[in-house]
Amino acid sequence: MNVWWRTLLTIWRAKTLLRRRGPLPPHTVGKVRLRTLPTDIDLLLHMNNGRYASLFDLGRFDLLIRTGLWDAMNAHDWYAVVASETVTFRKSLQLWQRFTVETRLLGHDDKAVYQIHRAVVGGEVYAEMIVRARFLRKSGGVVNTAELFEALGRPDDMPPLPAWVTDWASAAALPSTKAPAPSVWE
């Protein structure tokens, strides 16, 4: 079983929960239970560091669908892309170990939404990732966050971003796609 099957199962589960229970508030902590599979591990027999991002995507799908944002995006021909991310590892997930991906919206600025993902075992954080995601129009252009909340039909009741997240986003930013970005090593 690889991430494709897990993705399809996560989407199916989230859509079922949305139908049965209605949309969740945007600040809800979404939870997806998983197990470390042989396809997730590296030569050291623990979760490969690159696999965390793929499995955290499952938390993102779950939360987008269950908050109603997925349907709003599809209705407006929008899609989300990851603009930047950073991950911190604390403990290794071992083969066959059960864990939960916890996902929550952290806040937003005028162009991006920030999410936090955690790999959690028994209430203990093993890894944490901060993601800066932008919403784009299939016809071209960026969807600002005011338009995003308007499409959801909900007020923007998200707390302000912590200063360190704003500083990180600024420090990690690359030039826009319209500006030159030569690869020069100093």
Side-chain angles (χ1 to χ4, degrees), residues 49-65:
N49 65 306
R51 182 64 88 182
Y52 282 87
S54 295
L55 296 178
F56 287 161
D57 278 346
L58 301 178
R60 197 162 30 259
F61 279 125
D62 176 70
L63 201 59
L64 284 172
I65 292 167

Side-chain angles (χ1 to χ4, degrees), residues 67-78:
T67 57
L69 192 50
W70 181 272
D71 289 336
M73 288 168 47
N74 288 328
H76 290 86
D77 282 335
W78 299 339

